[in-house]
């Protein structure tokens, strides 16, 4: 950015100086900008962008599997799981059953996640 700013300032000051002095030779309007544009295009083609580093496919997945196997925390967000349990309860249960204890919701979430882990591991076989 600083380089572009300096380049713009330098071209602006040279055109002002050329316009201010009557003995300066006149320059073409389109000639200097087209050559400058060609130089900028050549510089941009010469500059190669550095490729971002990427792991081979599956490497990050295996790392995440090892990480999640070491932890004991629940993986499904609690708020969305509780919201879904309440909506299912509202549909299937009688109208007088509307309340859940916190321990029951945690136990239900642990059981659901255990079931899903088993389902996914069976699917891999």
């Amino acid at each position: 950015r600083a380089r572009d700013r300096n380049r713009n300032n330098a071209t602006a000051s040279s055109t002002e100086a050329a316009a201010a002095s009557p003995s300066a030779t006149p320059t073409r309007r389109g000639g200097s900008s087209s050559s400058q544009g060609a130089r900028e295009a050549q510089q941009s083609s010469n500059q190669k962008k550095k490729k971002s580093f990427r792991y081979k496919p599956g490497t990050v997945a295996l790392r995440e599997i090892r990480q999640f196997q070491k932890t004991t925390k629940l993986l499904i967000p609690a708020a969305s799981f509780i919201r879904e349990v309440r909506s299912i309860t509202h549909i299937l249960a009688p109208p007088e059953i509307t309340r859940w204890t916190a321990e029951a919701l945690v136990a239900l979430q642990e059981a659901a996640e255990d079931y899903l882990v088993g389902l996914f591991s069976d699917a891999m076989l």
Side-chain angles (χ1 to χ4, degrees):
R1 291 181 181 175
R3 186 181 329 131
D4 293 338
R5 195 178 312 126
N6 291 339
R7 183 181 300 147
N8 289 340
N9 289 342
T11 57
S13 64
S14 65
T15 55
E16 289 173 2
S21 64
S23 63
T25 58
T27 58
R28 290 188 212 161
R29 289 184 179 174
S32 63
S33 64
S34 65
S35 63
Q36 183 181 13
R39 268 187 265 127
E40 288 177 0
Q42 184 180 9
Q43 287 176 353
S44 65
S45 65
N46 289 342
Q47 295 174 348
K48 294 182 181 177
K49 290 186 177 180
K50 185 177 178 182
K51 291 175 72 175
S52 61
F53 181 78
R54 293 179 60 92
Y55 287 101
K56 291 181 181 178
T59 304
V60 177
L62 289 173
R63 187 184 323 139
E64 288 177 353
I65 288 171
R66 289 187 199 103
Q67 174 191 352
F68 289 136
Q69 284 177 342
K70 289 177 186 176
T71 63
T72 58
K73 66 175 186 161
L74 298 173
L75 301 177
I76 301 173
S80 59
F81 183 80
I82 292 170
R83 192 179 317 116
E84 192 63 31
V85 167
R86 291 185 193 280
S87 69
I88 292 170
T89 303
H90 182 69
I91 294 169
L92 298 177
E96 59 270 1
I97 300 176
T98 57
R99 296 173 61 174
W100 286 87
T101 63
E103 294 86 12
L105 289 170
V106 171
L108 191 62
Q109 185 173 357
E110 286 181 6
E113 288 193 13
D114 185 50
Y115 175 77
L116 287 173
V117 167
L119 186 70
F120 289 142
S121 64
D122 289 344
M124 288 298 294
L125 299 174

